[in-house]
Each structure stands twice: as structure tokens, then as C-alpha cells.
Amino acid sequence: MKECDIVQDLLIGYNDKTLKEGSKEFVDNHLKECENCRKIFDEIKTDDIQEEENIEIDYLKKLNKKNSKKNKCIILLIIIVSIIVLLNAIVFINYYNTDLGIEIFLEDDISDENFSKIENKIKEYNYKYRYVSKEEALEKFKERLDNPNVLNGYEGNTNIFPASLIVTCGWGNGDDLMGDLENMHGIKKITSSTKYGPYMVFWAKIRNL
């Protein structure tokens, strides 16, 4: 076997720096004298560099793909969190703009004296209130119906909807007033929204749309 053949068999190991010292020295000396082997060695080095570049490019592509997925997940998470924050802001804005309170439904035959007693009791607590007549109560209920005409004929003496006093007292209040009103004459029923939380108030408003 010619010396060039031996050297060329050793060139890959020489390029990878895996040859023993004696073999390395043998190749060193030969490359100094042989131009053809030097060219072959240059080609091996070029191929090796190109392979390393390809490996690096593949790695960067995989890294970019991984980062792209990660960025998409982060963007999706930001969108979800933003939607949750926005919905909560809407819920709480609606809550603080809603007049929570007590609705006192009155008997149809309530006397003026009993009505005045109820009004005076509300005033003792410095709560705002307003009177809703039977006619207004009927009209409000009609607004919630797809076909309000089904209630035609219920006006006047046939109106089944009671008049009421709507008291605005805010969240968590009103228990003392409700206790005082409980046994007063002329009251048919008392309902309260003062214990409703923000989400219950929002859901109730959505249902009534």
C-alpha cells in the first residue's frame, strides 16, 4: 500500500484529532510534502465545516420552532387572562352601579295609616326609596315578555301585580329594616338583593335582558 493511501485512510481521524501521537506526526510530515493529500484533507475539512453548519442550522430551526410554540402559548395565556380581567371589571362596575336593596310588596287594601308607618320606618334608616304603583309594576312585567299582549285585560281592578316600595340600602345592609317591617300591617311580601354578590347580580341582569 502506498504511503498516500495510508495517509488518506488516516485523514478523518487526523481531522477529528483522534490519532495517536505517532500516527499524527506521520500524517503531518506527509502533508508537508504531498499536495494531493493536502487537497483531499482540505475537502474533508470543508465537508466537516459544512456538516457542523448544517447541524447548527437544524438546531436553530428546532429552537425557533420551540420558541414559536412557547410564544403562541404565552400570547394565548395573555389573551385569556385579559378576557378574565375584563369580564371581572365589567361584573364589578355593573355591581357598583346597581341599586341593591329591598322591595316591599304592599297589600292592595293597605290603609293610608299603615302606608305612612312603613314610609316613616324606612326614613328612620335614612334609606332612599321610591313607590312603584300597580300600573307601573304591570308595565315593567310586560317589558320582559316577548308578547306583552297576553296581559291585555289585566289593567285596572283586574291588575294582579302589587304596588311596592323599592328601598336602596346597598350590599350587606337592610337586615334591621326587614326585621322591623316583618310584622307591620299592609305588607304582602318582602324580597332583598342586599346579600347578592357581584356575580349573582350580573347573572340576574343578564337573565333579564
Side-chain angles (χ1 to χ4, degrees):
M1 181 180 284
K2 295 181 180 179
E3 184 174 316
C4 285
D5 294 334
I6 297 173
V7 169
Q8 289 171 18
D9 288 341
L10 296 173
L11 284 178
I12 293 177
Y14 179 77
N15 183 59
D16 294 339
K17 296 182 173 53
T18 57
L19 294 181
K20 293 182 179 179
E21 190 60 34
S23 298
K24 178 179 177 302
E25 186 177 348
F26 170 70
V27 174
D28 279 337
N29 292 333
H30 181 82
L31 291 177
K32 291 176 182 177
E33 304 294 334
C34 180
E35 182 178 354
N36 184 54
C37 287
R38 282 201 305 273
K39 288 180 179 180
I40 294 173
F41 179 59
D42 288 340
E43 291 176 0
I44 291 174
K45 286 196 296 182
T46 301
D47 290 342
D48 190 54
I49 292 172
Q50 185 65 45
E51 185 178 355
E52 287 181 358
E53 289 177 350
N54 290 337
I55 292 173
E56 185 176 354
I57 290 171
D58 289 341
Y59 172 76
L60 290 175
K61 286 181 178 179
K62 290 179 181 179
L63 185 61
N64 287 335
K65 188 175 181 180
K66 184 177 180 181
N67 287 337
S68 178
K69 289 182 178 179
K70 184 178 179 181
N71 290 337
K72 288 178 180 178
C73 290
I74 292 173
I75 292 172
L76 180 61
L77 181 61
I78 291 173
I79 292 173
I80 292 173
V81 171
S82 298
I83 291 172
I84 292 173
V85 171
L86 179 61
L87 286 176
N88 276 276
I90 293 172
V91 167
F92 279 88
I93 289 172
N94 169 75
Y95 182 66
Y96 289 112
N97 288 330
T98 300
D99 291 333
L100 299 179
I102 301 165
E103 187 163 10
I104 306 161
F105 295 97
L106 305 172
E107 297 283 0
D108 291 343
D109 58 352
I110 184 173
S111 66
D112 292 340
E113 181 183 357
N114 287 333
F115 184 82
S116 294
K117 287 180 179 179
I118 296 169
E119 276 193 309
N120 291 332
K121 183 57 66 175
I122 297 171
K123 291 175 182 178
E124 287 180 17
Y125 287 88
N126 293 318
Y127 293 148
K128 295 179 180 179
Y129 71 96
R130 71 182 182 89
Y131 175 73
V132 178
S133 67
K134 290 171 64 68
E135 292 73 24
E136 185 180 349
L138 174 61
E139 291 304 318
K140 284 177 63 178
F141 192 79
K142 281 184 177 181
E143 291 174 1
R144 296 167 58 183
L145 298 177
D146 294 331
N147 181 17
N149 292 327
V150 297
L151 290 177
N152 287 344
Y154 284 89
E155 296 83 358
N157 294 332
T158 58
N159 187 346
I160 60 174
F161 293 91
S164 65
L165 289 169
I166 298 178
V167 182
T168 303
C169 53
W171 184 82
N173 296 318
D175 286 349
D176 291 341
L177 173 60
M178 290 175 66
D180 289 342
L181 295 173
E182 188 174 1
N183 297 317
M184 294 185 71
H185 296 293
I187 295 176
K188 180 181 291 188
K189 180 183 178 183
I190 301 175
T191 62
S192 172
S193 62
T194 59
K195 297 186 184 300
Y196 291 174
Y199 299 100
M200 291 181 67
V201 171
F202 184 74
W203 177 242
K205 186 167 286 188
I206 292 295
R207 288 175 59 188
N208 290 328
L209 289 179

